[in-house]
Amino acid sequence: MVLDLMHDHDNLTENDCKMTVGIKDVARAAGVSVATVSRALGGGPVSEELRKKVEAAVAATGYLPNLSARRLRSQHSHTIGLIVSDIRNPFFTAVSRAVEDAAYAVGMRVILCNTDENPQKEAMYLRLMQEERVTGVIFAPTRATAQKLDPHQLGFPVVLIDRAAPPGQTDAVVLDNAEAASLLVEHLLAQGYRRIGGLFGNTSTTGAERHAGVVAAMQQHGLQAEARFIAPTPEAAEQAVRDWLREPVQPEALIASNGLVLLGMLRGARAAGVSIPAQLALAGFDNDNWTELAGPGLTVIEQPVYDIGRTAMKMLLERLEDPARSARKVVLSGRLIARGSTAQPIAAHAGQQGAEPR
Amino acid sequence: MVLDLMHDHDNLTENDCKMTVGIKDVARAAGVSVATVSRALGGGPVSEELRKKVEAAVAATGYLPNLSARRLRSQHSHTIGLIVSDIRNPFFTAVSRAVEDAAYAVGMRVILCNTDENPQKEAMYLRLMQEERVTGVIFAPTRATAQKLDPHQLGFPVVLIDRAAPPGQTDAVVLDNAEAASLLVEHLLAQGYRRIGGLFGNTSTTGAERHAGVVAAMQQHGLQAEARFIAPTPEAAEQAVRDWLREPVQPEALIASNGLVLLGMLRGARAAGVSIPAQLALAGFDNDNWTELAGPGLTVIEQPVYDIGRTAMKMLLERLEDPARSARKVVLSGRLIARGSTAQPIAAHAGQQGAEPR
DNA sequence: GATGGCATTGAAAACGATTACATAATTGCT
DNA sequence: AGCAATTATGTAATCGTTTTCAATGCCATC
């Protein structure tokens, strides 16, 4: 009672100049201690009676918890980092959306970082994640960084997406690149193409793995694939294709190691004036919106993009529950979507069982 | 000296069990006070000599600042919120990248939120922003929320993007929708189209403004436009087009109020088997990747997407510097990119100066 | 030679929450 | 009835910084 009077007095002088209402003010308004307020809000052991009082006081005062203070004291940031090369790559856009949905669903925040495939930016952002004391990180590293990545050094768990690290080191969720590449190659071979080439990104393990998969699948048929490695951008891919198509010996079909490269490929082919698939077949990864609509439709491997993000988040949460468990790699399968860009070339000319296409 | 010995002893017993190294440890290692370390790190007035010592101690201890603590004490979150309907919309993807670039460049973090055009989620995320004590928010609100938005109530400045609020209330950076719509209409008319319809998103002011722009431009020529309002998704747009094309009287040209709607339109037109532009011309907003490559190429208004994000961030920073200055609305111009989807329909049949096309 | 101003430094308070610990009240058990 | 165990609550310490405030030393000035 005496206390209440004192506080009322305080209110008269203080209330007007107080900028933000804190847990203290709620406690005063509810006539309880700050600890009780904290417990009521955090689901601790509080009698129903006081809980009601606190809730009323919260509503009355318009209290909003200060997440920075909460994080500092509880040593729990409820924040994860998502580090990708460029959110404008539709693959990462979709993954990002899945990660964010899953994160918000369990009350976590997401900090998104774009590295532009630049190891320096990767290092900078990893450091930033440490300063943020993030709970964990979902990361699509460049090859350079993936090799020297030591998750135990970082202080938080890491789940790799799209790109793998040395086996057994880190949790990861990736596409079965060998399988996917094989699907593409087998499809192209079945359609009658033999001289198959490819453009692969040179910054990630993914580009390398998809290349290896193509090579392996071709070898099974006693064939060779000519591969070129480029920066994984539409611009680089377009230039590479234009150059390639000016050379004396040209490919019958071209495989792109991701959506951006495929986009550049198509642009390059158009610029060179070759018709698809009559003069050149095209296939690649990522079932982006435009692939269905461009030209005759582009044959692609569809990745389970949303699943990848959701699974990555799930693995991160599992890892947090059991930091000791051994590293896992989840390998998801892609689906071949055959479209006009790899239609049978011979169909345009003659019958369909030509012995030696072109 | 004596102190140093003591500290060495401390290190022996403490170092092993200390989880994280804080500013205190740095101070001890450098032989200065915590205040000096803080000042050395924050650029305060510190002698060159001590600054060196502190830097050495930071390197030696592997100190990493705790951003939560910093934010709590300094009352400055260095964080902004970016609230959009769906990051998978390429328009928002691009804007988001620009915002993030600009934010990181001035040492700020970005929290990204997807509302799915759902006012409830908008309210939830705005509240979250308050709890995060964000420095400011960049927001593309639904029409419903835009109307009842009171930035003074929120406690942080807001810059609207893509969508406007009641004039004079809030900073905003938007496209000149009337001008852009007029560009599209004039182009279609010049190409010989007369019976022009449109599909417009029904959740944002943008859809409404673009509709108004089309209507106004048509009226200038004594013509009417038939408009339909739909959820701004490819699915809704596809369905709407399929329905429309089954009706007795059909449009010669269709305008889409954004990239997603345009995408659905094209799908719907394809599904209905109409050829573009011979039977139906298509035009819309957002120069997304696929619009150049799909079918004959789609005529669109290109928005300065990166500029929009960068400008929004700039306005937010200016607003932070001068909270009192009056609200500003930056209106950027779109650029018409004419492509095959609006080629002259008569060219397909006969000469090009037909009096009454179709 | 005392005084005032300036620049540098340290001690301690503060930011706004959570949580360890102590206390009081209630319950269950013998 | 008495004692241990359990529960609800309050007090105070704590998280890791920044910032206020006072103290120190130095120089120039009168």
Side-chain angles (χ1 to χ4, degrees):
Chain A
M1 285 305 173
V2 176
L3 282 175
D4 276 345
L5 287 175
M6 270 181 61
H7 296 325
D8 279 345
H9 173 65
D10 280 5
N11 279 344
L12 284 179
T13 49
E14 277 187 13
N15 235 2
D16 293 352
C17 56
K18 262 286 236 183
M19 296 270 57
T20 65
V21 19
I23 205 177
K24 236 171 185 164
D25 308 285
V26 176
R28 192 178 306 164
V32 301
S33 75
V34 293
T36 301
V37 176
S38 176
R39 282 189 277 255
L41 266 45
V46 177
S47 69
E48 204 48 43
E49 185 197 348
L50 290 194
R51 187 182 303 276
K52 292 273 187 210
K53 267 195 190 172
V54 169
E55 274 165 20
V58 165
T61 56
Y63 166 77
L64 286 167
N66 182 319
L67 295 187
S68 290
R70 192 171 276 181
R71 285 200 261 263
L72 171 60
R73 174 60 236 225
S74 69
Q75 302 285 71
H76 205 302
S77 68
H78 284 284
T79 300
I80 69 158
L82 175 59
I83 309 181
V84 301
S85 61
D86 188 348
I87 187 67
R88 284 173 297 195
N89 180 338
F91 171 77
F92 288 123
T93 312
V95 169
S96 138
R97 178 65 210 254
V99 168
E100 279 156 13
D101 286 352
Y104 281 117
V106 295
M108 301 200 129
R109 241 55 73 227
V110 177
I111 300 183
L112 178 66
C113 307
N114 302 98
T115 66
D116 295 315
E117 309 275 359
N118 177 347
Q120 284 189 13
K121 287 195 187 177
E122 291 182 316
M124 185 195 97
Y125 283 127
L126 282 176
R127 194 197 153 96
L128 176 63
M129 293 303 112
Q130 296 185 287
E131 300 188 351
E132 291 278 4
R133 304 293 194 271
V134 292
T135 309
V137 161
I138 295 175
F139 187 18
T142 60
R143 220 170 35 190
T145 299
Q147 280 172 348
K148 64 179 70 150
L149 192 69
D150 183 4
H152 298 284
Q153 201 69 25
L154 286 172
F156 47 73
V158 173
V159 175
L160 299 180
I161 50 171
D162 183 51
R163 306 159 183 208
Q169 293 269 29
T170 320
D171 291 323
V173 29
V174 295
L175 191 74
D176 191 330
N177 286 316
E179 179 191 86
S182 167
L183 281 174
L184 281 180
V185 167
E186 294 294 342
H187 169 73
L188 286 171
L189 290 175
Q191 298 293 93
Y193 298 97
R194 288 294 173 275
R195 210 157 52 246
I196 299 174
L199 242 40
F200 302 92
N202 61 5
T203 54
S204 69
T205 57
T206 298
E209 283 185 14
R210 290 176 186 173
H211 168 244
V214 167
V215 167
M218 290 289 280
Q219 267 181 341
Q220 287 211 329
H221 294 263
L223 295 169
Q224 284 199 326
E226 181 174 353
R228 305 193 176 177
F229 292 88
I230 58 170
T233 67
E235 292 72 27
E238 176 172 355
Q239 193 56 51
V241 166
R242 296 171 86 147
D243 293 347
W244 202 333
L245 294 182
R246 244 184 260 116
E247 295 176 13
V249 42
Q250 295 189 2
E252 295 167 5
L254 241 31
I255 291 175
S257 75
N258 75 29
L260 299 182
V261 171
L262 185 58
L263 177 63
M265 256 189 188
L266 179 57
R267 286 190 184 149
R270 290 212 171 175
V274 307
S275 80
I276 294 168
Q279 294 174 270
L280 179 70
L282 251 38
F285 285 78
D286 295 332
N287 184 31
D288 298 339
N289 270 338
W290 61 272
T291 57
E292 175 199 352
L293 302 166
L298 281 111
T299 294
V300 293
I301 295 290
E302 179 186 47
Q303 297 197 58
V305 282
Y306 198 87
D307 242 17
I308 291 175
R310 210 182 33 182
T311 306
M313 189 65 204
K314 203 183 82 186
M315 288 186 74
L316 188 53
L317 293 174
E318 288 172 3
R319 164 67 53 194
L320 290 170
E321 275 185 13
D322 179 6
R325 85 173 193 183
S326 63
R328 254 155 239 230
K329 181 154 111 177
V330 172
V331 181
L332 300 175
S333 281
R335 187 170 67 96
L336 178 74
I337 301 182
R339 298 205 182 100
S341 71
T342 55
Q344 302 203 357
I346 42 178
H349 304 296
Q352 66 170 355
Q353 44 222 16
E356 195 69 30
R358 274 194 274 186
Chain B
M1 287 305 172
V2 177
L3 282 175
D4 276 345
L5 287 174
M6 270 180 60
H7 296 326
D8 280 346
H9 173 66
D10 279 5
N11 280 344
L12 284 178
T13 50
E14 277 187 13
N15 236 2
D16 293 352
C17 57
K18 262 287 235 182
M19 296 271 56
T20 64
V21 21
I23 207 177
K24 236 170 185 164
D25 308 284
V26 176
R28 192 177 306 162
V32 300
S33 73
V34 292
T36 301
V37 175
S38 176
R39 281 190 277 253
L41 266 46
V46 177
S47 68
E48 204 48 42
E49 185 197 348
L50 289 194
R51 188 182 302 277
K52 293 272 187 209
K53 268 195 191 172
V54 169
E55 274 165 20
V58 164
T61 56
Y63 166 77
L64 285 166
N66 182 319
L67 295 188
S68 290
R70 192 171 275 182
R71 284 199 262 262
L72 170 60
R73 173 60 235 222
S74 69
Q75 301 287 72
H76 204 303
S77 69
H78 284 283
T79 300
I80 69 158
L82 175 59
I83 309 181
V84 301
S85 61
D86 188 348
I87 187 67
R88 285 173 298 195
N89 181 337
F91 171 78
F92 288 122
T93 312
V95 168
S96 138
R97 178 66 211 252
V99 168
E100 279 156 13
D101 287 352
Y104 280 117
V106 295
M108 301 200 130
R109 240 57 70 230
V110 177
I111 300 183
L112 178 67
C113 307
N114 302 98
T115 66
D116 296 316
E117 309 274 0
N118 178 346
Q120 283 189 14
K121 288 195 188 178
E122 291 182 316
M124 185 195 95
Y125 283 128
L126 282 176
R127 192 198 156 98
L128 176 63
M129 294 303 111
Q130 296 184 288
E131 300 188 352
E132 291 278 3
R133 303 295 195 267
V134 292
T135 308
V137 160
I138 295 175
F139 186 18
T142 60
R143 219 169 36 188
T145 300
Q147 280 172 348
K148 64 180 72 152
L149 192 68
D150 183 4
H152 298 284
Q153 203 68 26
L154 287 171
F156 47 74
V158 172
V159 175
L160 299 181
I161 50 171
D162 183 52
R163 304 159 184 208
Q169 293 268 30
T170 320
D171 291 323
V173 30
V174 295
L175 191 75
D176 190 330
N177 285 318
E179 179 190 85
S182 167
L183 281 174
L184 281 180
V185 168
E186 294 295 341
H187 169 73
L188 285 171
L189 291 175
Q191 298 293 92
Y193 298 97
R194 289 293 173 277
R195 211 157 50 248
I196 299 173
L199 242 40
F200 302 91
N202 61 6
T203 55
S204 68
T205 58
T206 298
E209 283 184 14
R210 291 177 184 172
H211 168 245
V214 167
V215 168
M218 290 289 280
Q219 267 181 342
Q220 286 212 329
H221 294 263
L223 294 170
Q224 284 200 325
E226 181 174 352
R228 303 193 178 178
F229 293 87
I230 57 170
T233 66
E235 292 72 28
E238 177 173 354
Q239 192 56 50
V241 166
R242 296 171 85 147
D243 293 346
W244 203 332
L245 294 182
R246 243 183 261 118
E247 296 176 14
V249 43
Q250 294 188 1
E252 295 167 4
L254 241 30
I255 292 176
S257 74
N258 74 28
L260 299 183
V261 171
L262 185 57
L263 177 63
M265 257 188 188
L266 179 58
R267 286 190 184 149
R270 290 212 171 175
V274 309
S275 79
I276 294 167
Q279 295 175 271
L280 179 70
L282 253 38
F285 284 79
D286 295 332
N287 184 29
D288 298 340
N289 272 337
W290 60 272
T291 58
E292 175 199 353
L293 302 167
L298 276 92
T299 295
V300 293
I301 296 290
E302 179 186 48
Q303 296 197 58
V305 282
Y306 198 87
D307 242 17
I308 290 176
R310 208 182 34 182
T311 305
M313 190 65 203
K314 203 183 81 185
M315 289 185 74
L316 188 54
L317 294 174
E318 288 172 4
R319 163 67 51 193
L320 291 170
E321 275 186 13
D322 179 6
R325 86 172 193 182
S326 64
R328 253 156 240 232
K329 181 154 109 176
V330 172
V331 181
L332 301 175
S333 282
R335 188 170 66 96
L336 178 74
I337 302 182
R339 297 204 182 100
S341 71
T342 56
Q344 301 203 356
I346 42 179
H349 304 297
Q352 67 170 355
Q353 44 223 19
E356 195 67 34
R358 275 191 275 184

